[in-house]
Amino acid sequence: MSGFQIYVSYGQHRININHSACLGALISSLFSLLGKKQEYAIERLAKIDDVRREELAIYLDSLQRMVNEGNRDNFLKLQASTNRVVLYSGPELSNLVIDYFNTLVDRTNSGHPLLHDEQEEFLTEIVNAMRAELGITKIKLKRVRMVRA
């Protein structure tokens, strides 16, 4: 036998444990644990990505509803959707969405709503940032327009 032996006494019994067998089992268990941790992290990121995609779609739908009919109910839906987009998006998109929402509120409260060209500029920047964040394409859209239905 090699010099890597461990003896464990239990009462009157003495058990001989091969050190390399223990080390092999420990290494195997460690790799299994690390693999499961990595698998969990990948699944978690995939779920967050799915939620992000859904929230971005809801946000665009909320914007379209506001363009169609700018009432209090649609504004509250846009506000809630804005909060969720900020939560699940990266810094560039989050800042664009916050800037747009704050400008929309400030301009509406001052009695000077956004002009059509200003609206298009905000929407184009937001949609291009969404597409970049989702990895859809690096080609930027020149103009995004939402037309009242």
Side-chain angles (χ1 to χ4, degrees):
M1 297 238 150
S2 83
F4 297 107
Q5 300 290 319
I6 298 175
Y7 295 96
V8 178
S9 296
Y10 181 72
Q12 295 179 350
H13 305 285
R14 189 172 176 192
I15 303 170
N16 180 5
I17 300 174
N18 186 327
H19 188 73
S20 38
C22 287
L23 187 58
L26 179 64
I27 290 172
S28 175
S29 295
L30 183 61
F31 277 115
S32 177
L33 178 66
L34 291 174
K36 287 182 182 183
K37 185 176 179 180
Q38 185 177 17
E39 184 179 305
Y40 170 77
I42 290 169
E43 286 177 18
R44 184 174 172 269
L45 289 175
K47 286 179 184 177
I48 290 171
D49 192 49
D50 290 344
V51 170
R52 178 185 299 124
R53 288 177 187 275
E54 182 67 24
E55 291 303 332
L56 294 179
I58 291 169
Y59 179 77
L60 286 178
D61 291 343
S62 297
L63 283 174
Q64 184 64 60
R65 276 194 298 276
M66 277 296 293
V67 168
N68 291 347
E69 188 177 352
N71 60 35
R72 179 172 169 72
D73 189 45
N74 286 340
F75 176 79
L76 292 174
K77 289 177 183 175
L78 178 62
Q79 184 180 33
S81 183
T82 296
N83 292 340
R84 289 190 307 267
V85 167
V86 169
L87 177 64
Y88 288 106
S89 297
E92 180 185 355
L93 179 56
S94 293
N95 286 324
L96 285 171
V97 168
I98 289 169
D99 288 347
Y100 172 71
F101 186 79
N102 289 338
T103 302
L104 185 66
V105 170
D106 292 344
R107 295 288 293 276
T108 301
N109 287 340
S110 71
H112 300 93
L114 285 172
L115 300 175
H116 183 71
D117 291 343
E118 293 172 312
Q119 182 84 4
E120 281 185 13
E121 186 178 330
F122 269 114
L123 294 176
T124 301
E125 287 182 28
I126 289 170
V127 170
N128 280 328
M130 285 178 174
R131 292 165 59 90
E133 189 166 303
L134 294 173
I136 294 174
T137 182
K138 292 186 183 240
I139 300 171
K140 291 189 174 188
L141 301 174
K142 292 180 183 176
R143 186 168 119 184
V144 176
R145 248 171 108 179
M146 290 193 173
V147 180
R148 181 175 285 209

